[in-house]
Amino acid sequence: MPHHTHQTNQFAPLGLFQLSPAAADLVLLGDLTGRYAAGSYTRLASDGRTVSLRADRQGAADHGHRITAAIACHVARAGGTADQLTQLLLHPEHEGGRHARSIALRSGEARALNYIHRVWNSAAAVVSSTRVPGSRHEAYEVLAALRDRIETTPWRGERGRTALRVLRAHLNFAETAGGPLHHASERQTAEEAGISRTTLRAVYELVLKPRGWLRRLRVGHGREGSTWYLNQGIASGHGAPASPSRFRTTQYPPQPGT
């Protein structure tokens, strides 16, 4: 019996829908490759330049939340429910639910259920208003085109160079998420870009959002990162976003004037 077929069948006793192989692996085995760990275990030091290690508990909580959010998105895309997500995460043999179960052990089941429903509401809201690229290959094509556009755009002055670092950080998060739609907190992004949060906010408001590179679809709370959409930016020398056909299949069609 093929490996993934065996895994998917393990959901049958719980009455759950069939998940993709990648989603099943994440639920059953956790983040074996470290794909969701980027930036979780480091922080920007007080000098604003160097990166230092974060306390294990903080890093593990951040990493665990990113895994939980990813599973919630998989469940939402597959047409699941909050109850089915809860069953997946609280099942004692599912490594992907370790973070939710640790909250239950540490703070009680009610706190864990509240957390799961908060993550579910965020995932469901995003998934309901987005379109996923037709294939993984298509998503990678979109991100490759975005990287090419980012790297070939002139970034003048110190502010421009800082904006480029921030965009590269978001691109890394988008590649981890598998498409332009991704989650990232201010702290994660500032650390990934090697800048302070104050500088990050200035770059968001003065450069990246006005010029169409980034849209914040949902503001995060606490350790839960904001939901972002990485776009192709405004064409140099023109007043409107460029719109090559390859971008029409991205996860979230940008709306005019936002």
Side-chain angles (χ1 to χ4, degrees), residues 133 139 142-143 146 170 174 177-182 228-231 250-252:
V142 169
L143 292 176
L146 275 168
H170 274 278
L181 187 72
H182 60 284
W228 293 91
Y229 183 86
L230 182 62
N231 200 18
T250 54
Q251 295 159 295
Y252 193 99

Side-chain angles (χ1 to χ4, degrees), residues 19 26 56 80 86 99 119 124 154 191 201 205 219 224:
L19 294 177
L26 187 61
D56 287 346
T86 300
H99 180 56
V119 173
E191 291 169 3
R201 293 181 193 122
E205 298 304 321
V219 177
E224 300 169 27

Side-chain angles (χ1 to χ4, degrees), residues 171-183:
L171 186 60
N172 290 341
F173 296 140
E175 288 175 341
T176 296
L181 187 72
H182 60 284
H183 299 275

Side-chain angles (χ1 to χ4, degrees), residues 140-150 232 244 246-247:
Y140 286 147
E141 278 191 342
V142 169
L143 292 176
L146 275 168
R147 181 175 290 279
D148 181 65
R149 183 170 176 80
I150 288 168
Q232 70 266 33
R246 76 181 82 185
F247 288 102

Side-chain angles (χ1 to χ4, degrees), residues 16-206:
L16 300 177
F17 48 83
Q18 183 175 355
L19 294 177
S20 69
D25 280 346
L26 187 61
V27 171
L28 293 172
L29 306 176
D31 186 21
L32 289 181
T33 65
R35 177 181 180 183
Y36 298 93
S40 295
Y41 297 94
T42 58
R43 63 182 178 84
L44 198 63
S46 57
D47 61 10
R49 299 177 185 175
T50 57
V51 173
S52 58
L53 292 176
R54 180 176 290 111
D56 287 346
R57 182 170 172 176
Q58 288 179 310
D62 187 24
H63 188 189
H65 171 70
R66 296 179 73 180
I67 295 170
T68 306
I71 292 172
C73 285
H74 281 302
V75 172
R77 288 191 184 110
T81 66
D83 288 342
Q84 289 171 321
L85 173 65
T86 300
Q87 285 183 309
L88 282 175
L89 295 176
L90 297 185
H91 192 290
E93 296 180 4
H94 292 173
E95 183 64 25
R98 178 182 291 273
H99 180 56
R101 294 197 302 275
S102 70
I103 293 175
L105 287 172
R106 188 172 65 249
S107 305
E109 185 175 348
R111 184 76 174 268
L113 292 175
N114 181 268
Y115 166 72
I116 293 171
H117 278 79
R118 220 167 48 240
V119 173
W120 168 257
N121 288 337
S122 177
V126 169
V127 170
S128 68
S129 61
T130 60
R131 292 191 302 138
V132 180
S135 67
R136 181 174 293 273
H137 177 71
E138 183 180 339
Y140 286 147
E141 278 191 342
V142 169
L143 292 176
L146 275 168
R147 181 175 290 279
D148 181 65
R149 183 170 176 80
I150 288 168
E151 297 294 348
T152 57
T153 294
W155 298 95
R156 298 183 179 88
E158 182 62 29
R159 180 173 290 168
R161 289 190 291 273
T162 302
L164 174 58
R165 291 163 70 179
V166 173
L167 269 185
R168 283 171 171 164
H170 274 278
L171 186 60
N172 290 341
F173 296 140
E175 288 175 341
T176 296
L181 187 72
H182 60 284
H183 299 275
S185 67
E186 278 191 355
R187 177 185 55 71
Q188 289 170 328
T189 308
E191 291 169 3
E192 186 82 6
I195 60 176
S196 69
R197 293 196 202 182
T198 301
T199 300
L200 176 67
R201 293 181 193 122
V203 168
Y204 279 152
E205 298 304 321
L206 299 176

